[in-house]
Amino acid sequence: VELLDKLDDIYGRATNRALRLKAYRPAVVETATPIVSFTFDDVPDTALTAGAKILEAHGARGSFYIAGSLAGVVEPKRRLIDLDGCRDLAARGHEIGCHTFSHRAVRRMGPGTLDRDLDRNADYLAQIDGKRVRRNFAFPYNAGSLQALRTLRSRYRTCRAGGEKINRGEIDLAFLNGVEIRQPEESALALTARIDEVAREPGWLVFFTHDISDDPTDYGCRPQTLDRLVAYAIEKGCTVETVDAALDRLGITGDAA
Ligand SMILES: [Zn+2]
């Protein structure tokens, strides 16, 4: 099993590399104003109670990528929000995005399975905000898939991965770059350098993280750190807004061609 996991990991990395060789859904980011988006995956309850609150205190909103199967799930260091938590986020003006229903790597689902999974999550998300719209999507584990390109294109405005890059010039809506906010805390705080970069040469910086807790998992950060990053982005003249709002500002429709 360990060997298979290793092989699968290698295959996953190769897939992501192949996806980065060219833009499958090219778009151009042209902006005089630097843009920063804060996004949250899964979503742990502290992303709502602390994360959303911090953004709101700065007059900003975030994007929350929800996987229906994780609703109310309790893990050792986190509890995932349920329908009520999601409805709270939507009512407060945050964006609800799709993160698959099952939270399996997309490339591990066959076409039929993937379609059923995405339909199921669309139903779940519609229960949150009543919307049947082209949402934004984030890959579970930031793991892309070549065979899912068409399916994802027909359903979503953008698909966010990792990559640690700022979206600038020609970008790929099929594999939007994300910069991770995670442990150790010093590295999370040092992400002000990425904000300096986007302020210096305007583009679109999309952060992603998970829990916002005084005792964060490896994949989250402390409330003071998130607060510092949001405040710093605003200080530096960045517009802090959701992925959906940033696309509108940039004039990128994300329509399926
Ligand atoms: Zn996830």
Side-chain angles (χ1 to χ4, degrees), residues 14 56 79 104 212:
E56 289 162 18
R79 185 183 182 284
R104 288 175 64 201
I212 306 298

Side-chain angles (χ1 to χ4, degrees), residues 41-42 65 70 78 99 103 139-141 210:
D41 292 0
D42 294 356
Y65 294 102
L70 298 180
R78 59 177 206 168
H99 197 39
H103 201 261
F139 288 103
Y141 315 103
H210 295 81

Side-chain angles (χ1 to χ4, degrees), residues 93-153:
H94 297 280
E95 178 186 359
I96 302 297
C98 177
H99 197 39
T100 74
F101 184 84
S102 62
H103 201 261
R104 288 175 64 201
V106 170
R107 67 182 157 76
R108 301 183 83 163
M109 290 190 257
T113 307
L114 179 62
D115 268 320
R116 281 191 298 277
D117 178 281
L118 299 177
D119 282 345
R120 197 170 172 195
N121 213 47
D123 290 344
Y124 184 76
L125 301 188
Q127 287 181 65
I128 297 169
D129 55 18
K131 291 182 190 163
R132 291 274 177 191
V133 291
R134 283 170 63 76
R135 297 179 191 267
N136 291 291
F137 176 90
F139 288 103
Y141 315 103
N142 294 318
S145 161
L146 287 160
Q147 79 254 29
L149 280 167
R150 272 177 66 190
T151 298
L152 296 176
R153 175 197 195 108

